[in-house]
Amino acid sequence: MPSIAQLEKLLTLDPADPFVHYGLAQEYAKAGDHDQAIASYTKVIELDSTYCYAYFFKGQSHQELGDMDRARQVVSEGIEVAKQSNDAKAISELTGLLESMQ
């Protein structure tokens, strides 16, 4: 996986690429910087509201920060998006995550 610096450089070439923002969010989360991860997942969702796994991992980052109400809200939004997209795998994984947060 590219480093945070490499991904930020890619964003200078195409700041509207949700995949690069997603990769950046994943790297921030892996580094334990969940505030930055949330900001990047939010950008992914702004650019492509159907990017179901951005909701999944954004919810996890909120969970890591101890904001369970927001985590559940984000994951619930992701479930609705996955249902609209008929993405059975995402529905299943998001539902499992939400159930683990109860």
Side-chain angles (χ1 to χ4, degrees), residues 57-77:
F57 290 109
K58 182 179 177 182
Q60 281 190 329
S61 283
H62 279 293
Q63 185 177 25
E64 287 294 323
L65 293 175
D67 189 351
M68 296 306 295
D69 289 339
R70 185 70 180 125
R72 285 188 287 270
Q73 180 184 5
V74 167
V75 173
S76 295
E77 290 169 8

Side-chain angles (χ1 to χ4, degrees), residues 13-50:
L13 301 173
D14 185 1
D17 186 336
F19 184 73
V20 177
H21 283 283
Y22 182 80
L24 187 58
Q26 293 289 85
E27 289 301 307
Y28 281 131
K30 189 166 45 170
D33 190 347
H34 292 286
D35 288 320
Q36 285 294 337
I38 289 167
S40 292
Y41 290 127
T42 299
K43 187 65 176 177
V44 172
I45 293 166
E46 287 172 4
L47 294 169
D48 181 358
S49 64
T50 65

